Amino acid sequence: MTKKLPSHTKVVIIGGGIIGCATAYHLTKLGVKDVVILERKELTSGTTWAASGLIVKLRGTPEMVNMTRHGWELYQEIEKDTGHATGLIETGVINIATTEHRKHELEMLESLAKSFGIVNLPIGINELKERWPVINTEDVLSAYYMPNEGVVNPVETTLSMAAGARQGGAQIFEGIEVLDFEMKNGQVIGVKTNHGDIKCESTVLAAGMWSRELGRKLGISVPIHACEHMHAVTLPIEGTYKGMPILRDQDGSLYFREEVGGILLGAFEYGAIPYGTEGIPSDWNFRELPENLEHLTPLLENAMNRIPALENTEIRHFSTTAESFTPDNMYIMGEVPGMKQFYTACGMNSSGILCGAGVGKKTAEWIVNGYPSSGHIWEADNRRCFSWMMNKRWLKDRAPETPGNLFGIHFPFKQMETGKNVRMSAVHDRLAERGACFGRMFGWERANWFAPEGVEAKYEYSFHRQNWFEYSAAEHMAVREGVGIYDLSSMANFIMAGKDALSVLQKICGNNIDAPVGKVVYTQMLNERGGIEADITITRRGEDTFFIVTAGATALRDFDYIQRAIPERAHAFLIDVSSAYTMLGVMGPNSRKLLKKVSDDDFSNEGFPFGTAREIHVGYANPFAVRMSYVGELGWELYVPTDFAVSMFDALMEAGKEFNAKLVGLHAVDSLRLEKGFKHWPSDIDPDNSVLEAGLGFAVNFDKGDFLGKEALLKQKREGLKRKLYTFTIDDPEPLIYHDEPIYRNGELLSSNTHGAYGHFVKGSIGMCYLENPEGINNEWVSEGSYEIGVNGKNYPITIHLKAPYDPKGERTKM
């Protein structure tokens, strides 16, 4: 019989899997004792029970590695706290390559592991056979061994968390199905269940596959779709031994580990079978699904090729169940936009055990501190989940691709192939006609590069110079030497209006927004720590009206940040007008000449100074023109209502023939901005790094009055910086870099690359890194060092630049 629910609690957690129990555990460790977990059936009965328990810490970004590392450390120590073991065994993991592309990816991961402090060692075929005696190595090209990884028992690990939560004061109720929510003033104040209602101050949605439909009841976006996922356990096989390393044959979509003398094998395949589009059964409890032998046969054939003994070994247990996956293979975490004190912690993409402790920790920090104090986690932030992503047809189409991407080759610039053409700019077809190769960004189809006539506009992926490299180089140089036109309609545009609009913006922005009408202000939105929440421009269009431009990827996040800053009863209104505008950038030394051909406006420095904006005429259109540049050249951003966009585009292209105007993709925009030392959120700047550390102190006005982060920044100024962001170039013109490659100072690991691209003007790869010195950082200390970067297992000398490598005085934009 279910015990009676309390009438009120501080925090309700919906879901008794690894995430819910880890969140409760960490809340009690932070001093929050009044916590209730509501589990629909039994603890771990959703998908946690079916997990394979692999703990492989190496992930793609430092934030993700920190979460996996926390779990690894906690799973080793929690038995001392709770008396309940997790079953952790340090087996190590071996990754093998059977294709040249995978071989190169493993080489890249060798350098990445160094950045993250993870031991990742290349091993020969003989050592591979010694550690995995039953493996077929005929087609193996290379192998890497990470000794400090392992496995846990998923159920016991979860129960250990649950025991720790109970010891800390949390209550756990099984057999409780959440039916609905009680709302007041846009906030959940209670949870309605089949055993009565419970009031609460904060709510955590950690219901796994059921989170999407529970989210619908609140009108929030939790884009999760389940897919079938299988694993099998064999009878004992001669040659296996306890403690064998995990083996990952990702080219075969497979992983293997020892299980009671046999082998447990599982798969992450492209074209997985979607499940539960119309919802997950409410009576699901440790459920297994029917086997689909037609789907599984190719995977089993791969497994027998890798482990020949499987062909003559009986499978002791074959399990097909369902797990939740997200459209981008990343978790859905954080406080829900537009709703205070309601948090999501779901969408684990079959890695809940791996990151469960880290997700629980960050969620607990969010509740207690208002942000994840152990480090921001934008890639998993639920403010990237737009409402359109809840479209069932789109989720069902996208879901089968997601599991395969876990083990797929992670090529640079790799694009999702399903669920295309969700959002397209007004000039999309014009760009397609001219050879645009589109990439996807949160639903937007964006022209990344342009194929010349006779060349197919399609990526040919590799880890070397891809097929578009020279085409993008030509686009890059067109902006540097002539004029280029690019479509950035995916940028987010907000109107902030009202008599209190200025005071709100002054409070959250570092720069002085109280500028004349028509003035463009470059600024960052800051937090109380002086960290950067957004990197934006604000144009004053009237006494009480402001036009805000930010990145399309962060539209929900930035809108929510501003909206939360508006005091109750303030006369300030924020409107998202992104879909109302097309934005075309006209950039380069000849941009002024081109615009004069299509407009009778004055584009001189006197008539249209840098950092100003006004409405102009271009052909028959009246765009709002902003003289700013993200590429480091003279240029204008033209914001035009979407219904006028095509005519304006045609006018620009026709006039541009005289100046050899070139359409420019976003790969070139990225390389151009890096040469100029312009930052990108969150690649280079984020909430955990202050605006001064980012080298953006020029965009802070300390004399304007109080603003978020002012005291923290003044303290930094008084005490002096200990870390700062710098641009670097690789002296050798051949290596390509992307992100998180290790950087050494005087032979010692010091930092990593935040983001990199190839600088076609400087003729070498270019990136940014934070340099740190506990005794204080200054240009003299920086210049005294000798620096290298690790790329694919080899170190190359780099030059740290105290100013931008291109146009260090900033003269080009104001010419």
Side-chain angles (χ1 to χ4, degrees):
M1 181 176 177
T2 303
K3 58 184 178 180
K4 184 174 174 58
L5 289 175
S7 61
H8 180 274
T9 188
K10 189 174 182 66
V11 182
V12 165
I13 298 171
I14 305 170
I18 182 67
I19 307 302
C21 291
T23 301
Y25 174 83
H26 285 90
L27 279 169
T28 62
K29 291 300 179 183
L30 292 176
V32 182
K33 311 296 185 184
D34 194 6
V35 178
V36 166
I37 294 178
L38 303 179
E39 164 53 40
R40 183 186 49 83
K41 291 294 184 181
E42 301 172 53
L43 294 185
T44 78
S45 66
T47 57
T48 296
W49 69 275
S52 55
L54 310 186
I55 307 294
V56 183
K57 296 191 290 294
L58 184 57
R59 306 284 278 178
T61 65
E63 293 82 10
M64 296 302 297
V65 170
N66 288 338
M67 287 209 295
T68 60
R69 182 177 282 122
H70 172 68
W72 177 255
E73 294 169 352
L74 181 61
Y75 298 158
Q76 294 180 82
E77 299 295 327
I78 195 170
E79 184 177 1
K80 299 175 185 176
D81 185 23
T82 67
H84 198 114
T86 63
L88 184 143
I89 304 173
E90 187 175 69
T91 61
V93 63
I94 294 174
N95 291 303
I96 63 171
T98 60
T99 64
E100 286 295 334
H101 286 316
R102 182 73 66 182
K103 182 174 181 287
H104 196 97
E105 181 178 34
L106 295 186
E107 290 170 355
M108 290 184 65
L109 289 174
E110 180 183 1
S111 295
L112 204 64
K114 291 176 181 176
S115 287
F116 301 151
I118 292 175
V119 180
N120 185 24
L121 307 169
I123 60 173
I125 297 299
N126 289 337
E127 182 175 350
L128 172 59
K129 289 181 176 179
E130 287 176 9
R131 295 189 180 278
W132 252 86
V134 296
I135 189 175
N136 167 27
T137 62
E138 288 182 0
D139 57 346
V140 175
L141 302 179
S142 68
Y144 281 78
Y145 175 52
M146 293 186 284
N148 304 321
E149 321 297 309
V151 298
V152 296
N153 182 303
V155 171
E156 297 304 324
T157 299
T158 303
L159 295 179
S160 181
M161 294 282 189
R166 285 192 181 101
Q167 290 172 11
Q171 299 183 72
I172 299 176
F173 295 85
E174 297 178 294
I176 304 292
E177 184 175 359
V178 172
L179 304 175
D180 211 336
F181 302 91
E182 183 181 354
M183 303 284 293
K184 184 177 180 181
N185 297 328
Q187 181 174 341
V188 171
I189 62 167
V191 177
K192 300 178 180 181
T193 82
N194 59 341
H195 283 273
D197 301 345
I198 179 170
K199 300 279 188 180
C200 58
E201 298 172 25
S202 299
T203 311
V204 179
L205 182 58
M209 297 186 293
W210 293 265
S211 297
R212 185 184 80 204
E213 293 310 311
L214 287 172
R216 283 190 192 279
K217 295 179 181 295
L218 294 168
I220 64 174
S221 181
V222 191
I224 286 172
H225 198 291
C227 285
E228 294 185 12
H229 183 60
M230 78 90 179
H231 69 256
V233 181
T234 74
L235 291 175
I237 295 176
E238 185 178 353
T240 64
Y241 60 91
K242 189 174 180 60
M244 281 176 70
I246 301 160
L247 175 67
R248 299 203 300 181
D249 176 10
Q250 293 170 292
D251 290 322
S253 305
L254 298 166
Y255 65 87
F256 307 88
R257 70 170 177 84
E258 184 271 341
E259 175 84 359
V260 196
I263 288 177
L264 181 151
L265 66 96
F268 290 105
E269 74 279 18
Y270 285 106
I273 300 173
Y275 177 83
T277 301
E278 300 305 321
I280 309 299
S282 61
D283 62 347
W284 182 290
N285 191 35
F286 299 109
R287 179 175 293 191
E288 294 186 343
L289 302 173
E291 299 164 13
N292 185 323
L293 291 180
E294 182 180 356
H295 180 80
L296 294 173
T297 295
L299 297 169
L300 294 174
E301 289 174 350
N302 289 346
M304 287 185 286
N305 172 66
R306 187 59 50 221
I307 314 295
L310 291 175
E311 191 167 357
N312 300 308
T313 302
E314 184 179 341
I315 292 178
R316 174 165 59 86
H317 182 72
F318 201 105
S319 174
T320 299
T321 186
E323 298 190 26
S324 60
F325 292 90
T326 62
D328 59 359
N329 254 333
M330 192 44 62
Y331 320 141
I332 301 176
M333 297 169 55
E335 191 172 18
V336 170
M339 190 175 293
K340 294 180 179 179
Q341 294 177 252
F342 190 93
Y343 305 84
T344 58
C346 50
M348 291 297 109
N349 300 288
S350 200
S351 58
I353 305 301
L354 173 67
C355 283
V359 171
K361 180 182 180 182
K362 287 191 183 295
T363 303
E365 291 171 346
W366 236 308
I367 294 169
V368 174
N369 303 318
Y371 67 98
S373 51
S374 58
H376 86 101
I377 189 72
W378 159 244
E379 59 201 298
D381 195 310
N382 59 31
R383 289 171 290 183
R384 78 191 194 283
C385 298
F386 294 83
S387 60
W388 62 262
M389 293 179 177
M390 290 288 276
N391 182 290
K392 288 182 181 180
R393 179 175 295 181
W394 184 79
L395 281 173
K396 184 180 181 181
D397 288 347
R398 171 58 63 85
E401 184 177 5
T402 304
N405 279 326
L406 286 166
F407 273 19
I409 297 177
H410 301 93
F411 289 113
F413 314 107
K414 186 178 179 182
Q415 304 297 319
M416 299 294 276
E417 294 301 322
T418 55
K420 296 181 181 180
N421 299 330
V422 178
R423 303 187 71 184
M424 294 177 282
S425 83
V427 297
H428 177 273
D429 290 350
R430 290 290 202 270
L431 302 178
E433 291 168 359
R434 291 165 171 80
C437 182
F438 295 98
R440 261 117 256 136
M441 191 281 298
F442 295 98
W444 276 104
E445 296 288 319
R446 310 196 306 172
N448 282 344
W449 55 277
F450 288 84
E453 189 173 350
V455 175
E456 185 180 7
K458 182 180 180 180
Y459 279 98
E460 295 175 11
Y461 295 119
S462 80
F463 291 97
H464 305 287
R465 284 161 169 75
Q466 295 186 7
N467 61 315
W468 51 267
F469 184 86
E470 294 301 332
Y471 310 143
S472 187
E475 297 164 20
H476 182 113
M477 294 310 297
V479 174
R480 288 282 179 254
E481 297 173 346
V483 59
I485 299 171
Y486 56 76
D487 173 27
L488 252 179
S489 301
S490 60
M491 296 293 282
N493 309 311
F494 311 145
I495 295 289
M496 181 82 163
K499 61 183 179 62
D500 295 321
L502 176 61
S503 64
V504 173
L505 293 173
Q506 289 284 61
K507 179 70 174 178
I508 60 177
C509 294
N511 216 338
N512 187 8
I513 311 304
D514 192 7
V517 173
K519 179 65 178 174
V520 186
V521 178
Y522 171 61
T523 186
Q524 290 73 43
M525 293 196 298
L526 305 178
N527 55 41
E528 292 181 348
R529 310 179 306 281
I532 301 169
E533 295 289 342
D535 190 54
I536 62 177
T537 61
I538 300 178
T539 303
R540 195 167 197 169
R541 297 203 64 176
E543 186 64 25
D544 297 326
T545 305
F546 300 85
F547 185 71
I548 302 169
V549 178
T550 189
T554 61
L556 269 180
R557 187 186 195 281
D558 298 346
F559 188 93
D560 184 62
Y561 195 76
I562 300 171
Q563 190 72 49
R564 289 176 187 268
I566 301 175
E568 192 175 350
R569 299 188 180 88
H571 190 264
F573 309 96
L574 185 65
I575 306 169
D576 187 337
V577 295
S578 304
S579 295
Y581 289 96
T582 294
M583 193 278 262
L584 300 179
V586 182
M587 300 287 162
N590 288 334
S591 59
R592 178 180 284 123
K593 294 178 182 177
L594 191 159
L595 287 173
K596 283 183 177 179
K597 293 285 292 186
V598 294
S599 176
D600 55 5
D601 284 89
D602 184 357
F603 294 98
S604 67
N605 280 322
E606 296 76 19
F608 207 141
F610 178 78
T612 63
R614 68 166 184 264
E615 189 175 284
I616 64 171
H617 302 290
V618 174
Y620 295 153
N622 298 337
F624 181 65
V626 176
R627 189 177 168 189
M628 294 290 284
S629 173
Y630 191 49
V631 295
E633 298 292 345
L634 172 70
W636 281 261
E637 297 173 352
L638 306 180
Y639 296 85
V640 68
T642 54
D643 46 344
F644 288 89
V646 171
S647 67
M648 186 179 81
F649 176 86
D650 289 345
L652 289 170
M653 294 302 296
E654 181 62 30
K657 292 177 181 177
E658 180 180 341
F659 309 102
N660 292 318
K662 198 169 188 64
L663 285 172
V664 174
L666 297 189
H667 289 332
V669 171
D670 187 44
S671 58
L672 288 160
R673 71 94 181 169
L674 273 166
E675 284 187 336
K676 189 61 188 72
F678 290 156
K679 283 76 175 176
H680 175 264
W681 196 103
S683 303
D684 314 305
I685 53 180
D686 58 47
D688 296 333
N689 292 290
S690 82
V691 69
L692 299 181
E693 293 169 334
L696 295 170
F698 66 88
V700 179
N701 189 314
F702 288 97
D703 298 326
K704 70 169 186 172
D706 190 30
F707 59 90
L708 277 178
K710 181 177 181 179
E711 291 306 315
L713 295 174
L714 288 173
K715 182 181 179 183
Q716 275 194 342
K717 286 171 70 76
R718 289 193 302 269
E719 297 177 353
L721 296 178
K722 293 180 172 54
R723 67 194 309 268
K724 193 173 180 181
L725 184 64
Y726 289 89
T727 301
F728 68 87
T729 51
I730 302 183
D731 299 348
D732 188 316
E734 287 305 309
L736 300 179
I737 57 174
Y738 304 102
H739 64 87
D740 294 300
E741 292 87 357
I743 290 176
Y744 303 88
R745 184 180 189 271
N746 299 335
E748 295 185 2
L749 180 65
L750 178 66
S751 184
S752 61
N753 170 35
T754 61
H755 180 77
Y758 197 88
H760 299 286
F761 185 89
V762 300
K763 292 181 171 51
S765 287
I766 186 167
M768 293 186 181
C769 63
Y770 283 92
L771 300 181
E772 187 168 355
N773 181 20
E775 298 177 3
I777 193 154
N778 53 52
N779 289 345
E780 182 180 1
W781 179 86
V782 171
S783 300
E784 288 173 351
S786 174
Y787 300 90
E788 292 180 308
I789 188 169
V791 183
N792 302 332
K794 182 180 177 181
N795 288 358
Y796 296 88
I798 63 174
T799 298
I800 303 291
H801 296 269
L802 302 181
K803 293 185 177 180
Y806 179 78
D807 187 27
K809 294 182 180 180
E811 297 171 334
R812 301 282 294 181
T813 56
K814 301 171 185 176
M815 62 189 291

